Every structure is written in structure tokens, then in C-alpha cells.
Amino acid sequence: MSIDDGVRVWLRRRGAEQIAHPGGDLYAHLCRVSDRLAVLGCSADVQAAGLTHAVYGTDGFDVTLLDRADRAVLRDLVGADAEELVYLYGACDRGRSWQELTRTGEVFDRFARQVRTPGETRLRSLVDLSIVNELDVIEHDPAVADRHGAYFRELFGSWAPIASAQVISDAQRVLRQ
């Protein structure tokens, strides 16, 4: 069994298949995000983070599969770099971080209530994961595209300097820019 298969088994045991999410259930969403990151050429760590990105809950999805106090469990499953990205993704206060992210490089950690300044590689990984997550939601819930399409076109456009080119290209395709 590969590491990826082991993580997928773990997610199912944590009940991810029973949690509603656009496009079916949380498990299906997590798998689609990871698979899309792979197709777009993102690293294995970013793919693993994509597979587990909602484990600690997010600013937009408050269901958790693992308490943050147990971060070592996820670290053992996906590795330290992927787990750190999952934490950063879950911790990101979108309202306080997203609009100025390209300019400041700062992420407000809603868990620790402090500003984090990830390095260039981690910031790119965070942005790529964030875009791919939203693209999956948009594709599986047309109402999200109707309500928030213009917002995401503008936001993702502003992130183009710090995102992977292939992720931005995919966002432009999905959002029909």
C-alpha cells in the first residue's frame, strides 16, 4: 500500500465519506483536489496536503477530522512539509490574508492569532492549494461560480505573480477568463 493509499484509508476511517461537501462528500473533494494538484505538476508534498487540506477545518469549512493538538498524527501520515502546509491552509484567516497576500506575503493564523510570513515556496504551495480547492468547489456547485466568480477571477488574477503558472492557467480556464 502506498503512502497515498494509507492516507485515503485513514480519511475514510475518520468519516470523511460521511461529511457533505459540494460534489458529494468531503472524501471525494479531498481526492479530487489532490489528483488535480498532481495533474497540474505540483510536488508530492503539495498533493499530500491537498488530500488532507481540511483535516483541521478551514476558515470556510469548520468541520475537523483531527484536533490540532494531534498534529503529529498527520505529520506521521504525510510528512512534516505537507502537514505544515495543511496547518497553514486551515489556519489562514481568509478575510485578513487573501486580498493582500501578494503584496505582503503574510498569512494571519486564526488559530494562534498571529501573523505568519511563509517563505516563497510555502506561499506558492498555499496559493496553489487554495486556488485548486476553490476551483473544485466551483465546478461542483454552479451557484458558487454564479455568486463568487468575479471575486475569484480578481483574487486569482492578483495571485498570479506568486502562484504556479499551470494553476493560474487552470483557474483562467475554469473561470473563463
Side-chain angles (χ1 to χ4, degrees):
M1 180 183 324
S2 73
I3 291 172
D4 186 63
D5 290 339
V7 174
R8 289 174 192 247
V9 167
W10 182 83
L11 288 167
R12 287 192 303 271
R13 286 184 182 152
R14 301 298 294 191
E17 289 177 307
Q18 279 67 56
I19 300 169
H21 196 279
D25 58 65
L26 179 60
Y27 177 77
H29 167 71
L30 295 170
C31 291
R32 288 191 307 263
V33 168
S34 179
D35 292 347
R36 188 179 208 139
L37 289 163
V39 167
L40 293 172
C42 294
S43 72
D45 285 336
V46 175
Q47 293 170 45
L51 185 57
T52 56
H53 70 270
V55 165
Y56 303 130
T58 73
D59 191 13
F61 191 75
D62 65 359
V63 175
T64 61
L65 298 177
L66 182 67
D67 189 284
R68 292 184 316 280
D70 297 324
R71 288 179 65 183
V73 171
L74 187 60
R75 197 173 302 119
D76 289 346
L77 281 169
V78 299
D81 287 341
E83 187 281 331
E84 180 59 33
L85 180 55
V86 171
Y87 176 87
L88 186 63
Y89 180 83
C92 180
D93 181 324
R94 296 171 181 186
R96 294 177 71 173
S97 304
W98 276 12
Q99 289 295 322
E100 298 297 319
L101 197 55
T102 300
R103 188 179 64 74
T104 67
E106 295 177 346
V107 175
F108 186 81
D109 181 331
R110 66 191 182 97
F111 300 144
R113 301 235 177 264
Q114 65 184 33
V115 173
R116 295 187 181 278
T117 308
E120 183 180 326
T121 300
R122 175 114 32 232
L123 186 61
R124 172 169 282 118
S125 297
L126 175 65
V127 167
D128 287 350
L129 174 56
S130 298
I131 291 171
V132 168
N133 172 72
E134 297 302 335
L135 294 178
D136 184 73
V137 171
I138 287 166
E139 288 181 325
H140 289 89
D141 186 350
V144 172
D146 292 342
R147 285 191 314 269
H148 305 292
Y151 166 78
F152 284 124
R153 278 190 289 280
E154 181 181 326
L155 180 66
F156 298 164
S158 78
W159 286 355
I162 58 174
S164 298
Q166 65 274 18
V167 172
I168 289 297
S169 178
D170 195 38
Q172 291 170 338
R173 179 189 61 79
V174 170
L175 296 170
R176 293 173 185 85
Q177 288 181 291

